[in-house]
Amino acid sequence: MTTQLTQGQQRLKTVNRVSIGLFFMFLILGELYFLLPIGTADFSIIINRLTMPLSFLIPIAVLMAYYLRKVIKTIYVRETVELAKGCYTERSWLDIDDKVLVSVEGNDVSFFEIPEYQLNDVQSAYQQRASFDTLIETAGVKRSKVVTIAMAAVEKMTSSHKKDTIEVEIGEDYHSLEFLNVKMKNHALTRFQLLLNDKMIYRKTKPSRLRATLPWLITIIIFALIMFLIHNPYVWALLFGIGFFMILPKMLRELIDPTQLEIWELPEEESSK
């Protein structure tokens, strides 16, 4: 049985194709730049001039294509807003991307990773409403590999509106539950809330765009100050690369859509007992 791509996956494939096209475009433009001054030079000279710049044109083209991919992905790729048919019930969720099955069993939440070669069999059994025990057997997973979380003992549960994961903390134990997309995560979240300790306190953070981008903006300012004080081309290249290719896309993403967090946690006096 073939798995159906979500809207987010389809858009990501489009972005990947565009990135490959951008790489070749930058490479060709770079080659043309070196070729234009040649004019009517001998053919062997033309070939020599074309091959010589490849050693630094290729890494530059890769970096530029990678950076633009991150920018396009930030703006264009969004998680599907639909519940994927055949990948959820009212008490369980099958993530065919990360190959994880999450299920509410009584008052607990259990999950396990599915071996890739068993994914189609598990998906088929899941869509035929097989029991959780049957799905474990179909996946060929040992019982010791199935993680069970006693939700009544959870001390903190966190969910970001951008991520398809739910983070759960019990004492020193930390678990990150994976879901197919944000919509599926939210569907599970409404069920998980009902299983938490009644003393849990709920809060939601909604930062402004300025507050969300401030940490990244401060980092860029610090990088600029270091570059101003240290006149070293290697330091400049390192800081510029980190700032331009890693920090700037994250700041752009927060500027467009600031991260909102939902947090359930026990009062300090309760969690310290």
Side-chain angles (χ1 to χ4, degrees), residues 197-215:
N197 190 319
D198 293 337
K199 296 181 180 179
M200 282 282 202
I201 297 174
Y202 169 79
R203 58 189 174 92
K204 185 173 184 178
T205 63
K206 295 182 178 181
S208 63
R209 283 183 170 81
L210 176 61
R211 184 176 178 182
T213 57
L214 190 59

PDB file of all heavy atoms in Angstrom, residues 197-215:
ATOM      1  N   ASN A 197      -3.406  15.549  35.358  1.00  0.00           N
ATOM      2  CA  ASN A 197      -3.746  15.834  36.755  1.00  0.00           C
ATOM      3  C   ASN A 197      -4.638  17.076  36.812  1.00  0.00           C
ATOM      4  O   ASN A 197      -4.373  18.074  36.127  1.00  0.00           O
ATOM      5  CB  ASN A 197      -2.456  16.061  37.550  1.00  0.00           C
ATOM      6  CG  ASN A 197      -2.697  16.127  39.046  1.00  0.00           C
ATOM      7  OD1 ASN A 197      -3.660  16.717  39.505  1.00  0.00           O
ATOM      8  ND2 ASN A 197      -1.800  15.519  39.797  1.00  0.00           N
ATOM      9  N   ASP A 198      -5.685  17.025  37.611  1.00  0.00           N
ATOM     10  CA  ASP A 198      -6.620  18.154  37.717  1.00  0.00           C
ATOM     11  C   ASP A 198      -5.964  19.426  38.250  1.00  0.00           C
ATOM     12  O   ASP A 198      -6.495  20.525  38.065  1.00  0.00           O
ATOM     13  CB  ASP A 198      -7.793  17.778  38.638  1.00  0.00           C
ATOM     14  CG  ASP A 198      -8.675  16.699  38.036  1.00  0.00           C
ATOM     15  OD1 ASP A 198      -8.649  16.561  36.795  1.00  0.00           O
ATOM     16  OD2 ASP A 198      -9.363  15.990  38.795  1.00  0.00           O
ATOM     17  N   LYS A 199      -4.814  19.275  38.904  1.00  0.00           N
ATOM     18  CA  LYS A 199      -4.135  20.435  39.482  1.00  0.00           C
ATOM     19  C   LYS A 199      -3.251  21.167  38.466  1.00  0.00           C
ATOM     20  O   LYS A 199      -2.640  22.183  38.795  1.00  0.00           O
ATOM     21  CB  LYS A 199      -3.292  19.998  40.676  1.00  0.00           C
ATOM     22  CG  LYS A 199      -4.128  19.443  41.839  1.00  0.00           C
ATOM     23  CD  LYS A 199      -3.245  19.042  42.998  1.00  0.00           C
ATOM     24  CE  LYS A 199      -4.090  18.480  44.157  1.00  0.00           C
ATOM     25  NZ  LYS A 199      -3.248  18.063  45.296  1.00  0.00           N
ATOM     26  N   MET A 200      -3.204  20.648  37.257  1.00  0.00           N
ATOM     27  CA  MET A 200      -2.394  21.285  36.220  1.00  0.00           C
ATOM     28  C   MET A 200      -2.872  22.708  35.931  1.00  0.00           C
ATOM     29  O   MET A 200      -4.074  22.969  35.880  1.00  0.00           O
ATOM     30  CB  MET A 200      -2.451  20.472  34.925  1.00  0.00           C
ATOM     31  CG  MET A 200      -1.576  19.235  34.935  1.00  0.00           C
ATOM     32  SD  MET A 200       0.151  19.689  34.664  1.00  0.00           S
ATOM     33  CE  MET A 200       0.789  18.125  34.062  1.00  0.00           C
ATOM     34  N   ILE A 201      -1.914  23.602  35.730  1.00  0.00           N
ATOM     35  CA  ILE A 201      -2.211  24.987  35.374  1.00  0.00           C
ATOM     36  C   ILE A 201      -1.900  25.191  33.892  1.00  0.00           C
ATOM     37  O   ILE A 201      -0.829  24.807  33.414  1.00  0.00           O
ATOM     38  CB  ILE A 201      -1.388  25.970  36.228  1.00  0.00           C
ATOM     39  CG1 ILE A 201      -1.762  25.831  37.708  1.00  0.00           C
ATOM     40  CG2 ILE A 201      -1.605  27.408  35.761  1.00  0.00           C
ATOM     41  CD1 ILE A 201      -0.895  26.670  38.627  1.00  0.00           C
ATOM     42  N   TYR A 202      -2.848  25.796  33.183  1.00  0.00           N
ATOM     43  CA  TYR A 202      -2.686  26.016  31.740  1.00  0.00           C
ATOM     44  C   TYR A 202      -2.364  27.474  31.460  1.00  0.00           C
ATOM     45  O   TYR A 202      -2.945  28.385  32.047  1.00  0.00           O
ATOM     46  CB  TYR A 202      -3.966  25.628  30.994  1.00  0.00           C
ATOM     47  CG  TYR A 202      -3.983  26.056  29.542  1.00  0.00           C
ATOM     48  CD1 TYR A 202      -3.296  25.321  28.583  1.00  0.00           C
ATOM     49  CD2 TYR A 202      -4.678  27.204  29.137  1.00  0.00           C
ATOM     50  CE1 TYR A 202      -3.308  25.699  27.232  1.00  0.00           C
ATOM     51  CE2 TYR A 202      -4.691  27.593  27.801  1.00  0.00           C
ATOM     52  CZ  TYR A 202      -4.000  26.832  26.859  1.00  0.00           C
ATOM     53  OH  TYR A 202      -4.007  27.210  25.545  1.00  0.00           O
ATOM     54  N   ARG A 203      -1.423  27.684  30.554  1.00  0.00           N
ATOM     55  CA  ARG A 203      -1.126  29.049  30.100  1.00  0.00           C
ATOM     56  C   ARG A 203      -0.682  29.002  28.633  1.00  0.00           C
ATOM     57  O   ARG A 203      -0.164  27.994  28.159  1.00  0.00           O
ATOM     58  CB  ARG A 203      -0.058  29.727  30.950  1.00  0.00           C
ATOM     59  CG  ARG A 203       1.263  29.004  31.021  1.00  0.00           C
ATOM     60  CD  ARG A 203       2.171  29.651  32.065  1.00  0.00           C
ATOM     61  NE  ARG A 203       3.389  28.899  32.271  1.00  0.00           N
ATOM     62  CZ  ARG A 203       4.527  29.097  31.620  1.00  0.00           C
ATOM     63  NH1 ARG A 203       4.570  30.065  30.700  1.00  0.00           N
ATOM     64  NH2 ARG A 203       5.597  28.377  31.853  1.00  0.00           N
ATOM     65  N   LYS A 204      -0.897  30.102  27.953  1.00  0.00           N
ATOM     66  CA  LYS A 204      -0.532  30.197  26.547  1.00  0.00           C
ATOM     67  C   LYS A 204       0.249  31.476  26.320  1.00  0.00           C
ATOM     68  O   LYS A 204      -0.183  32.559  26.732  1.00  0.00           O
ATOM     69  CB  LYS A 204      -1.783  30.180  25.661  1.00  0.00           C
ATOM     70  CG  LYS A 204      -1.488  30.153  24.168  1.00  0.00           C
ATOM     71  CD  LYS A 204      -2.768  29.971  23.367  1.00  0.00           C
ATOM     72  CE  LYS A 204      -2.481  29.851  21.886  1.00  0.00           C
ATOM     73  NZ  LYS A 204      -3.706  29.629  21.089  1.00  0.00           N
ATOM     74  N   THR A 205       1.405  31.355  25.682  1.00  0.00           N
ATOM     75  CA  THR A 205       2.239  32.519  25.398  1.00  0.00           C
ATOM     76  C   THR A 205       1.991  32.989  23.968  1.00  0.00           C
ATOM     77  O   THR A 205       1.999  32.192  23.036  1.00  0.00           O
ATOM     78  CB  THR A 205       3.730  32.183  25.582  1.00  0.00           C
ATOM     79  OG1 THR A 205       4.113  31.178  24.636  1.00  0.00           O
ATOM     80  CG2 THR A 205       3.991  31.659  26.988  1.00  0.00           C
ATOM     81  N   LYS A 206       1.770  34.288  23.803  1.00  0.00           N
ATOM     82  CA  LYS A 206       1.559  34.885  22.484  1.00  0.00           C
ATOM     83  C   LYS A 206       2.465  36.104  22.350  1.00  0.00           C
ATOM     84  O   LYS A 206       2.038  37.242  22.544  1.00  0.00           O
ATOM     85  CB  LYS A 206       0.093  35.316  22.309  1.00  0.00           C
ATOM     86  CG  LYS A 206      -0.902  34.169  22.302  1.00  0.00           C
ATOM     87  CD  LYS A 206      -2.319  34.688  22.078  1.00  0.00           C
ATOM     88  CE  LYS A 206      -3.327  33.567  22.022  1.00  0.00           C
ATOM     89  NZ  LYS A 206      -4.708  34.062  21.791  1.00  0.00           N
ATOM     90  N   PRO A 207       3.744  35.889  22.046  1.00  0.00           N
ATOM     91  CA  PRO A 207       4.678  37.016  21.958  1.00  0.00           C
ATOM     92  C   PRO A 207       4.405  37.901  20.747  1.00  0.00           C
ATOM     93  O   PRO A 207       3.878  37.442  19.736  1.00  0.00           O
ATOM     94  CB  PRO A 207       6.040  36.318  21.821  1.00  0.00           C
ATOM     95  CG  PRO A 207       5.720  35.017  21.165  1.00  0.00           C
ATOM     96  CD  PRO A 207       4.373  34.611  21.701  1.00  0.00           C
ATOM     97  N   SER A 208       4.767  39.164  20.872  1.00  0.00           N
ATOM     98  CA  SER A 208       4.671  40.077  19.730  1.00  0.00           C
ATOM     99  C   SER A 208       5.789  39.732  18.740  1.00  0.00           C
ATOM    100  O   SER A 208       6.724  39.003  19.055  1.00  0.00           O
ATOM    101  CB  SER A 208       4.823  41.523  20.197  1.00  0.00           C
ATOM    102  OG  SER A 208       6.110  41.725  20.761  1.00  0.00           O
ATOM    103  N   ARG A 209       5.697  40.272  17.534  1.00  0.00           N
ATOM    104  CA  ARG A 209       6.728  40.011  16.533  1.00  0.00           C
ATOM    105  C   ARG A 209       8.090  40.527  16.998  1.00  0.00           C
ATOM    106  O   ARG A 209       9.118  39.881  16.778  1.00  0.00           O
ATOM    107  CB  ARG A 209       6.342  40.656  15.202  1.00  0.00           C
ATOM    108  CG  ARG A 209       5.275  39.886  14.440  1.00  0.00           C
ATOM    109  CD  ARG A 209       4.980  40.540  13.100  1.00  0.00           C
ATOM    110  NE  ARG A 209       4.143  39.693  12.260  1.00  0.00           N
ATOM    111  CZ  ARG A 209       2.835  39.590  12.370  1.00  0.00           C
ATOM    112  NH1 ARG A 209       2.195  40.317  13.296  1.00  0.00           N
ATOM    113  NH2 ARG A 209       2.152  38.779  11.576  1.00  0.00           N
ATOM    114  N   LEU A 210       8.094  41.682  17.660  1.00  0.00           N
ATOM    115  CA  LEU A 210       9.355  42.251  18.144  1.00  0.00           C
ATOM    116  C   LEU A 210       9.975  41.348  19.201  1.00  0.00           C
ATOM    117  O   LEU A 210      11.178  41.058  19.164  1.00  0.00           O
ATOM    118  CB  LEU A 210       9.116  43.646  18.716  1.00  0.00           C
ATOM    119  CG  LEU A 210      10.339  44.317  19.349  1.00  0.00           C
ATOM    120  CD1 LEU A 210      11.439  44.487  18.301  1.00  0.00           C
ATOM    121  CD2 LEU A 210       9.959  45.660  19.953  1.00  0.00           C
ATOM    122  N   ARG A 211       9.152  40.884  20.128  1.00  0.00           N
ATOM    123  CA  ARG A 211       9.666  40.032  21.202  1.00  0.00           C
ATOM    124  C   ARG A 211      10.138  38.685  20.652  1.00  0.00           C
ATOM    125  O   ARG A 211      11.133  38.133  21.118  1.00  0.00           O
ATOM    126  CB  ARG A 211       8.575  39.811  22.246  1.00  0.00           C
ATOM    127  CG  ARG A 211       9.034  39.021  23.458  1.00  0.00           C
ATOM    128  CD  ARG A 211       7.947  38.926  24.487  1.00  0.00           C
ATOM    129  NE  ARG A 211       8.360  38.126  25.628  1.00  0.00           N
ATOM    130  CZ  ARG A 211       7.580  37.847  26.666  1.00  0.00           C
ATOM    131  NH1 ARG A 211       6.336  38.331  26.711  1.00  0.00           N
ATOM    132  NH2 ARG A 211       8.038  37.119  27.660  1.00  0.00           N
ATOM    133  N   ALA A 212       9.437  38.157  19.654  1.00  0.00           N
ATOM    134  CA  ALA A 212       9.799  36.859  19.096  1.00  0.00           C
ATOM    135  C   ALA A 212      11.119  36.926  18.330  1.00  0.00           C
ATOM    136  O   ALA A 212      11.904  35.970  18.336  1.00  0.00           O
ATOM    137  CB  ALA A 212       8.688  36.362  18.179  1.00  0.00           C
ATOM    138  N   THR A 213      11.358  38.050  17.653  1.00  0.00           N
ATOM    139  CA  THR A 213      12.582  38.173  16.847  1.00  0.00           C
ATOM    140  C   THR A 213      13.744  38.771  17.622  1.00  0.00           C
ATOM    141  O   THR A 213      14.885  38.730  17.144  1.00  0.00           O
ATOM    142  CB  THR A 213      12.320  39.062  15.616  1.00  0.00           C
ATOM    143  OG1 THR A 213      11.829  40.351  16.058  1.00  0.00           O
ATOM    144  CG2 THR A 213      11.295  38.425  14.698  1.00  0.00           C
ATOM    145  N   LEU A 214      13.480  39.309  18.823  1.00  0.00           N
ATOM    146  CA  LEU A 214      14.513  40.017  19.585  1.00  0.00           C
ATOM    147  C   LEU A 214      15.759  39.164  19.866  1.00  0.00           C
ATOM    148  O   LEU A 214      16.886  39.654  19.679  1.00  0.00           O
ATOM    149  CB  LEU A 214      13.928  40.554  20.887  1.00  0.00           C
ATOM    150  CG  LEU A 214      14.806  41.520  21.681  1.00  0.00           C
ATOM    151  CD1 LEU A 214      15.150  42.733  20.815  1.00  0.00           C
ATOM    152  CD2 LEU A 214      14.101  41.964  22.961  1.00  0.00           C
ATOM    153  N   PRO A 215      15.620  37.907  20.324  1.00  0.00           N
ATOM    154  CA  PRO A 215      16.843  37.109  20.585  1.00  0.00           C
ATOM    155  C   PRO A 215      17.723  36.952  19.351  1.00  0.00           C
ATOM    156  O   PRO A 215      18.958  37.043  19.434  1.00  0.00           O
ATOM    157  CB  PRO A 215      16.277  35.749  21.038  1.00  0.00           C
ATOM    158  CG  PRO A 215      14.909  36.052  21.546  1.00  0.00           C
ATOM    159  CD  PRO A 215      14.409  37.152  20.680  1.00  0.00           C
TER     160      PRO A 215
END
